[in-house]
């Protein structure tokens, strides 16, 4: 009986030891995304508890699912609350789509751990071996690749969730990412994987070789960190731009246009240099202001007192399809209309296989689903000096590479970050825009309800 109790106590200790390291890894994974400006460096450490545990104890599919669900629950907390805020009905019902998303995404962690155990078994790899550490390091790289590129395939789209990528928090010190445009995101991710792997080797074996390998793994990051910082290049026309982070409710088109015109006059009166005003995505929830004859005359030079170029995020109908749009207005007339080419699953559109009456009631009681357009992305020619290529919110974050042909023209990112359930998501969206500026080597003019920033291709920023 005493022996049985001692054995039971040992099993309970091992169980708690395993779960503690798993949850420690989850916490170290989440903190750099919640507080990137303070603990960005923790992103190099979160795999260490997993690697250390995997080299001492066999991890099961259930362990991986626990890790996956816990990590996605923390990372998607703001997204899930935002999805609930955008829905209609009782709170518990509004939370269901977000909870289902977390439970689904957690499966990838379970598959990852199962594959590692399977490879260890068929290759006959022993515990606490270099080979096993290499297998887990490769597995981590593949897991990050799948989450970044393909984890949303279930919604009939080959795309992933970039806001969990371990390189993202490093944007707070953009010079660390100098190698990104040279070697690419995937190779740089592998160089990142080598850091926690070699640190785990140091903790386990503590020999000279492990220390040498660890120091070698740090060289790309330390060298990038201490290289001279590129000078921020700010265009001469940036002082001409102002953002107007306001949402205008539905109403009589003339009355709404007059309200907006009053805000324009206030901006122009405050700063005489301003002649370009940008409103974020979803500033208007009706296109009547832009389609009804006469409403936009209140934005003309005669009423404002000077010519204005206005870029505004709104919605609009085209051939019975409801689109998320950007309008370019000058001289009181619509010059260009661009409809968003990407839609967010569930909250903007529902895949056919997931089409259920209660989901439509949750998200589309007051407005129809948004349809992705197939129009060509334009280049907005404001004058001889100012040209911008519009990307509306998720078009920037869910594309691996730009889909326009104007490689030397800055990107205008119109983003709606009002929906975010927690403020850290707003910060991550902005950091993602800076990351894209480095990765694509394109300057980005980022305008949301929280941020108005110019981001150059080196990741430097300036507010306007």
């Amino acid at each position: 009986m005493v022996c049985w109790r001692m054995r039971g106590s040992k099993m309970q200790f091992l169980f708690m030891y395993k779960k503690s390291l798993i949850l420690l890894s989850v916490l170290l994974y989440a903190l750099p995304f919640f507080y990137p400006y303070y603990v960005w460096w923790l992103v190099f450490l979160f795999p260490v508890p997993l690697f250390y545990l995997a080299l001492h104890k066999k991890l099961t599919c259930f362990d991986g699912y626990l890790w996956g669900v816990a990590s996605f629950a923390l990372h998607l907390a703001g997204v899930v609350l935002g999805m609930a805020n955008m829905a209609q009905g009782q709170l518990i019902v509004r939370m269901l789509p977000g909870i289902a998303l977390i439970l689904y995404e957690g499966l990838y962690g379970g598959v990852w751990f199962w594959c590692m155990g399977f490879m260890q078994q068929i290759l006959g790899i022993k515990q606490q071996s270099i080979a096993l550490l290499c297998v887990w390091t490769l597995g981590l790289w593949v897991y990050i690749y799948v989450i970044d590129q393909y984890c949303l395939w279930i919604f009939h789209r080959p795309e992933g969730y970039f806001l969990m990528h371990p390189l993202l928090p490093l944007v707070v010190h953009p010079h660390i990412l100098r190698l990104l445009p040279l070697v690419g995101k995937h190779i740089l991710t592998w160089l990142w994987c080598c850091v926690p792997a070699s640190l785990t080797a140091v903790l386990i074996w503590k020999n000279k070789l492990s220390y040498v390998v660890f120091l070698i793994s740090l060289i790309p990051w330390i060298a990038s960190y201490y290289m001279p910082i590129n000078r921020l290049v700010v265009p001469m026309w940036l002082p001409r731009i102002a953002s107007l982070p306001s949402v205008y409710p539905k109403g009589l088109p003339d009355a709404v246009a007059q309200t907006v015109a009053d805000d324009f006059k206030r901006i122009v009166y405050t700063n005489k240099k301003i002649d370009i005003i940008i409103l974020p995505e979803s500033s208007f929830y009706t296109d009547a202001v832009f389609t009804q004859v006469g409403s936009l005359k209140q934005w003309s030079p005669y009423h404002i007192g000077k010519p204005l170029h206005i870029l505004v995020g709104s919605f609009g109908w085209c051939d019975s399809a409801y689109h998320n749009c950007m309008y370019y207005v000058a001289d009181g007339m619509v010059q260009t209309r661009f409809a968003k080419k990407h839609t967010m699953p569930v909250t903007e559109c529902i895949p056919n296989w997931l089409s259920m009456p209660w989901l439509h009631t949750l998200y589309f009681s007051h407005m129809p689903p948004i349809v992705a357009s197939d129009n060509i992305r334009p280049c907005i020619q404001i004058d001889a000096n100012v040209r911008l290529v519009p990307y509306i919110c998720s078009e920037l974050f869910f594309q691996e590479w730009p889909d326009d042909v104007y490689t030397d023209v800055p990107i205008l990112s119109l983003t709606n970050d009002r929906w975010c359930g927690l403020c850290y998501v707003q910060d991550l969206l902005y950091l993602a825009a800076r990351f894209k500026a480095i990765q694509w080597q394109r300057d980005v003019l980022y305008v949301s309800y929280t941020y108005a920033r110019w981001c150059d291709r080196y990741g430097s920023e300036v507010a306007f």
Side-chain angles (χ1 to χ4, degrees):
M1 179 64 71
V2 174
C3 182
W4 181 85
R5 287 180 179 177
M6 291 179 62
R7 184 178 180 182
S9 299
K10 183 178 180 181
M11 292 296 294
Q12 185 178 11
F13 171 78
L14 292 176
F15 177 83
M16 294 302 298
Y17 170 76
K18 179 190 293 186
K19 297 302 179 285
S20 296
L21 287 181
I22 289 175
L23 295 179
L24 175 62
S25 173
V26 170
L27 183 61
L28 293 175
Y29 190 9
L31 285 176
F33 292 81
F34 278 89
Y35 308 103
Y37 293 94
Y38 304 102
V39 292
W40 57 269
W41 47 272
L42 286 179
V43 79
F44 287 99
L45 302 182
F46 85 81
V48 174
L50 284 184
F51 290 164
Y52 187 88
L53 188 59
L55 266 64
H56 288 83
K57 304 290 179 183
K58 288 189 177 180
L59 297 176
T60 65
C61 178
F62 177 78
D63 295 326
Y65 187 65
L66 172 65
W67 184 89
V69 168
S71 59
F72 271 98
L74 286 181
H75 281 270
L76 295 180
V79 175
V80 171
L81 290 176
M83 292 174 65
N85 292 336
M86 287 186 283
Q88 306 292 323
Q90 296 182 346
L91 178 60
I92 184 63
V93 179
R94 289 187 281 128
M95 292 291 291
L96 287 179
I99 294 173
L101 179 63
I102 290 173
L103 296 177
Y104 157 71
E105 296 290 358
L107 293 173
Y108 288 94
V111 172
W112 171 28
F113 280 39
W114 180 86
C115 289
M116 297 300 96
F118 180 73
M119 291 185 64
Q120 181 181 358
Q121 182 178 0
I122 63 172
L123 296 177
I125 301 175
K126 297 180 179 180
Q127 297 291 143
Q128 298 191 31
S129 63
I130 294 292
L132 184 58
L133 181 58
C134 292
V135 166
W136 271 90
T137 305
L138 178 61
L140 173 64
W141 182 85
V142 172
Y143 173 81
I144 292 170
Y145 179 83
V146 171
I147 297 300
D148 178 53
Q149 299 288 318
Y150 297 109
C151 71
L152 297 179
W153 67 269
I154 195 172
F155 299 110
H156 293 176
R157 53 185 70 195
E159 61 189 26
Y161 184 70
F162 173 64
L163 298 186
M164 287 181 65
H165 199 287
L167 296 181
L168 182 57
L170 304 183
V171 179
V172 298
H173 294 287
H175 43 290
I176 299 179
L177 297 175
R178 287 180 191 275
L179 294 177
L180 178 60
L182 299 177
V183 303
K185 183 171 66 174
H186 304 310
I187 294 179
L188 192 61
T189 303
W190 174 254
L191 294 177
W192 167 84
C193 289
C194 293
V195 175
S198 58
L199 178 57
T200 304
V202 169
L203 295 176
I204 293 178
W205 292 292
K206 300 181 179 67
N207 53 34
K208 291 183 179 180
L209 178 61
S210 63
Y211 282 103
V212 170
V213 173
F214 176 60
L215 292 176
I216 292 175
S217 71
L218 292 177
I219 288 176
W221 307 99
I222 296 176
S224 298
Y225 187 88
Y226 285 103
M227 286 178 65
I229 299 175
N230 295 91
R231 184 177 62 87
L232 174 63
V233 180
V234 180
M236 297 295 293
W237 44 262
L238 190 62
R240 297 168 51 192
I241 297 179
S243 68
L244 180 55
S246 299
V247 177
Y248 297 93
K250 294 181 179 180
L252 296 175
D254 289 346
V256 175
Q258 181 59 56
T259 300
V260 181
D262 292 338
D263 289 338
F264 291 163
K265 292 176 183 178
R266 173 180 52 81
I267 292 174
V268 171
Y269 178 79
T270 303
N271 189 340
K272 303 298 183 182
K273 295 181 180 180
I274 300 297
D275 66 347
I276 303 171
I277 300 178
I278 304 175
L279 291 82
E281 179 195 27
S282 306
S283 295
F284 288 75
Y285 279 88
T286 176
D287 64 344
V289 173
F290 307 98
T291 57
Q292 182 166 308
V293 178
S295 294
L296 290 182
K297 288 183 178 179
Q298 299 179 72
W299 299 0
S300 66
Y302 175 79
H303 289 86
I304 301 298
K306 65 181 297 185
L308 286 182
H309 302 274
I310 301 156
L311 298 141
V312 53
S314 181
F315 296 88
W317 290 90
C318 181
D319 299 329
S320 72
Y322 192 60
H323 296 293
N324 188 335
C325 303
M326 184 221 68
Y327 293 89
Y328 168 42
V329 179
D331 297 324
M333 295 185 296
V334 174
Q335 307 293 323
T336 303
R337 176 183 180 273
F338 170 70
K340 188 179 179 184
K341 303 174 68 173
H342 179 274
T343 55
M344 290 298 296
V346 181
T347 57
E348 290 187 339
C349 69
I350 298 177
N352 292 333
W353 73 270
L354 200 57
S355 184
M356 306 174 190
W358 69 276
L359 264 180
H360 282 272
T361 302
L362 277 180
Y363 291 102
F364 306 115
S365 298
H366 303 299
M367 59 183 296
I370 295 172
V371 179
S373 76
D374 58 357
N375 52 188
I376 298 175
R377 196 174 303 281
C379 176
I380 307 297
Q381 183 83 40
I382 293 178
D383 57 30
N385 299 315
V386 184
R387 294 191 301 162
L388 298 168
V389 178
Y391 280 74
I392 302 176
C393 202
S394 60
E395 289 184 314
L396 184 72
F397 309 124
F398 284 85
Q399 290 192 179
E400 186 66 16
W401 296 105
D403 61 359
D404 67 271
V405 297
Y406 309 99
T407 56
D408 60 337
V409 179
I411 289 172
L412 170 63
S413 175
L414 297 178
T415 300
N416 177 10
D417 57 7
R418 292 189 309 115
W419 62 268
C420 302
L422 297 172
C423 62
Y424 81 92
V425 182
Q426 299 168 338
D427 297 334
L428 289 182
L429 292 175
Y430 171 59
L431 292 180
R434 291 177 66 184
F435 188 96
K436 293 295 184 180
I438 301 172
Q439 182 186 11
W440 295 357
Q441 287 294 279
R442 296 275 295 274
D443 299 329
V444 174
L445 189 68
Y446 183 83
V447 179
S448 72
Y449 295 94
T450 308
Y451 290 95
R453 299 284 193 276
W454 169 263
C455 310
D456 71 7
R457 63 192 62 196
Y458 305 110
S460 301
E461 59 174 339
V462 62
F464 63 89

